[in-house]
Amino acid sequence: QVQLVQSGAEVKKPGASVKVSCKASGYTFTSYGISWVRQAPGQGLEWMGWISAYNGNTNYAQKLQGRVTMTTDTSTSTAYMELRSLRSDDTAVYYCARGSTVTTSDYWGQGTLVTVSS
Amino acid sequence: QSALTQPASVSGSPGQSITISCTGTSSDVGGYNYVSWYQQHPGKAPKLMIYDVSNRPSGVSNRFSGSKSGNTASLTISGLQAEDEADYYCSSYTSSSTYVVFGGGTKLTVL
């Protein structure tokens, strides 16, 4: 069965970076992309970007351009999302999701809480 | 402020039908057939319920249906059940450099 297992919770100071991993299993990793979506406490969903696991092409949300990098390691079927220059309003649960397209995320990871606090 | 507008809350009794709207513009909902709907229970990851306006993934109950008219997409849940109580989010492709936008979410209460 399709599974996406994310890395554990992180606590970071403002200005630091965080890298969240998402290990996929149960399907051919390179046949799909991976989307990243975050959710601040008590708030709605925010799309961060998408990466093709086939060729590494990326699409990032404009507001995160320059601060976010999404990558994949096809040898381990793992996707990564790095966010730099963290601010308090980056505190959120970060989700990875399998996406056949940029707009369709059919299987989701369990989420990773990233807390940014001094 | 979310790019897509959803009602903050809707409610219905078991067995009834409800509809959740998702209003955008011609640059997103109205311009493309790439609207998805997600269900999220408290403390859980979202679950895909509808994609490409009206398609149901395998395993999703046929009580869930999607449609679109102009710049407004809709999710209809028929035969409401207690387990349907959750937050629902719409999303759409957008021609802006953001690519994908979400609605603010709608809390469904089953009375």
Side-chain angles (χ1 to χ4, degrees), chain A residues 37 39 43-47 58-63 65 95 101-111, chain B residues 34 36 38 40 43-48 51-52 57 89 91-93 97-105:
Chain A
V37 174
Q39 186 170 36
Q43 303 300 308
L45 302 174
E46 179 185 12
W47 186 81
T58 54
N59 299 114
Y60 298 140
Q62 183 179 32
K63 70 174 287 188
Q65 285 274 3
Y95 292 102
T101 67
V102 172
T103 59
T104 302
S105 298
D106 57 359
Y107 287 91
W108 293 63
Q110 83 276 20
Chain B
Y34 296 131
S36 297
Y38 298 90
Q40 187 180 35
K44 300 295 187 182
K47 175 185 177 182
L48 179 67
Y51 67 97
D52 295 351
Y89 294 90
S91 73
S92 173
Y93 176 80
S97 53
T98 300
Y99 296 102
V100 176
V101 288
F102 278 97

Side-chain angles (χ1 to χ4, degrees), chain A residues 9-20 66-69 81-87 90 94 114-117:
Chain A
E10 304 260 14
V11 179
K12 297 291 184 181
K13 294 193 182 303
S17 299
V18 69
K19 192 170 186 177
V20 179
R67 286 208 298 141
V68 68
T69 301
M81 185 284 300
E82 181 180 34
L83 189 60
R84 300 175 292 279
S85 302
L86 288 169
R87 309 185 290 246
D90 291 317
Y94 288 74
V114 176
T115 302
V116 182
S117 174

